[in-house]
Amino acid sequence: MRSVRSGEKVITANDQRSSSSSAAAPMIKIDGLVKKFGPFTAVDEISFSVARGEVLGFLGPNGAGKSTTMKMVTGFLAPTAGHISVCGHEVGPDTLAAQRMIGYLPEGAPAYADMTPLQFLRFIADIRGLKGPAAMAAITRAVDRTEIAGVMEQPIETLSKGFRRRVGLAQSILHDPPVLIMDEPTDGLDPNQKFAVRKLIAEMAPTKAIIISTHILEEVDAICSRALIIDRGRIVADGTPAALTARSRYHNAVTLTVDANDADAARPVLKAIEGVASIEEDARGADHSFTLFAESAGETDTSLVDRVGNLAREKSWNVRTLYGEPGRLDEVFRSLTRSDTQIAEAAMAPGRESAA
């Protein structure tokens, strides 16, 4: 177990790493990282590490410090304080050696617009020290894995957002680095492209340490072995997706969706079930959902699902869905972070204006 400080609260999370020594050794290690822009603190003394085989989902609202942290880890932005180590090379004293270990997909996947993907990847291969047959083999491998063969001769400026993103992904994996830092890797991709990129990340994960910044919470469940939530420059949660989801108040709740015509009849029957503390309702068109919260919240109780199912059959309700809730990561995210609107409202609260 290890502790993660977030303001005044300390959250403990299991590390969930392999017991083998090679997997347990951190490939990325961050200690007391701080970044200030004048009086504004963008990153506020965060510490964490990532081991080989881990895919870390780096989550947070806009302006939380995610991209700033990634820029510091990759050596493109100097920290105000703290230490960063990548594969044993300290960023700052040994930045170039650390950068050789990293594949970096920045926000927006920048590339030279007048180049073709082939020209751009040849340029990146040259920068990475790959020459001749080794360069072409690396380019071919990256092109195949990112599925961009059909656009290799088109100017990058003419490509769709999705293809530009995949060209950026190709350059990040070109030299087969042990560490990958990716800022919104599926941004702009259609569902099929997202699936392909997630599959690629999963295939690479066993031999690499990977950090992915994302706003897509379903992506965390799909590909991440661990999730870290940052808010206003501080870590507020760190654990496996399942562990974070289990913190949701919906964890182990039961949701029943019936035909809207059955809602009035179902309501008193569901409220009368022994052990149900409260019920939430959601009416959408022809469907009406009831979410039941047990009095023994947090304990797994499949019998509640069984009892609701038996009642639905007994009463002949037209059931659309019935399931036990694993929890809702979006609800956990909202409970731990503050939106721009909430921050603005707090700044304008009574007493703040007079103090300004």
Side-chain angles (χ1 to χ4, degrees), residues 136-341:
M136 286 312 301
I139 290 171
T140 299
R141 182 175 61 249
V143 168
D144 288 345
R145 300 187 91 175
T146 54
E147 300 179 357
I148 58 173
V151 299
M152 289 297 284
E153 300 295 342
Q154 293 179 223
I156 290 173
E157 63 186 354
T158 69
L159 300 180
S160 67
K161 183 179 181 181
F163 270 116
R164 289 198 301 271
R165 172 65 55 170
R166 287 153 72 186
V167 170
L169 179 58
Q171 69 78 23
S172 72
I173 66 173
L174 187 68
H175 57 303
D176 194 24
V179 170
L180 284 174
I181 312 288
M182 296 186 282
D183 203 343
E184 302 284 350
T186 61
D187 182 41
L189 303 187
D190 65 36
N192 289 334
Q193 293 168 341
K194 285 182 180 180
F195 176 81
V197 170
R198 290 171 183 173
K199 183 172 180 288
L200 173 59
I201 292 170
E203 289 171 353
M204 295 188 296
T207 61
K208 301 183 188 301
I210 302 175
I211 299 179
I212 296 173
S213 168
T214 182
H215 288 101
I216 306 171
L217 297 181
E218 69 179 56
E219 203 152 84
V220 177
D221 277 330
I223 57 175
C224 295
S225 58
R226 182 173 149 218
L228 185 151
I229 301 175
I230 185 172
D231 184 44
R232 289 169 291 163
R234 292 191 173 197
I235 295 172
V236 295
D238 184 357
T240 64
L244 294 183
T245 301
R247 295 172 56 179
S248 168
R249 70 187 189 88
Y250 289 93
H251 182 58
N252 289 333
V254 173
T255 293
L256 168 72
T257 303
V258 297
D259 187 290
N261 294 325
D262 291 325
D264 288 340
R267 187 177 296 108
V269 175
L270 296 174
K271 286 183 176 179
I273 295 175
E274 184 179 355
V276 172
S278 62
I279 297 178
E280 286 184 359
E281 298 186 37
D282 182 22
R284 297 189 181 187
D287 294 342
H288 196 103
S289 294
F290 297 90
T291 299
L292 289 69
F293 297 89
E295 291 175 350
S296 55
E299 294 183 11
T300 302
D301 183 9
T302 56
S303 67
L304 181 56
V305 177
D306 295 337
R307 282 181 284 162
V308 172
N310 290 336
L311 279 171
R313 282 191 295 271
E314 179 185 319
K315 303 296 184 181
S316 299
W317 296 333
N318 190 349
V319 175
R320 306 282 199 243
T321 60
L322 171 63
Y323 58 91
E325 294 260 7
R328 301 180 185 179
L329 189 57
D330 61 334
E331 185 254 336
V332 175
F333 181 88
R334 288 194 302 272
S335 72
L336 292 171
T337 63
R338 298 175 70 191
S339 67
D340 293 341
T341 301

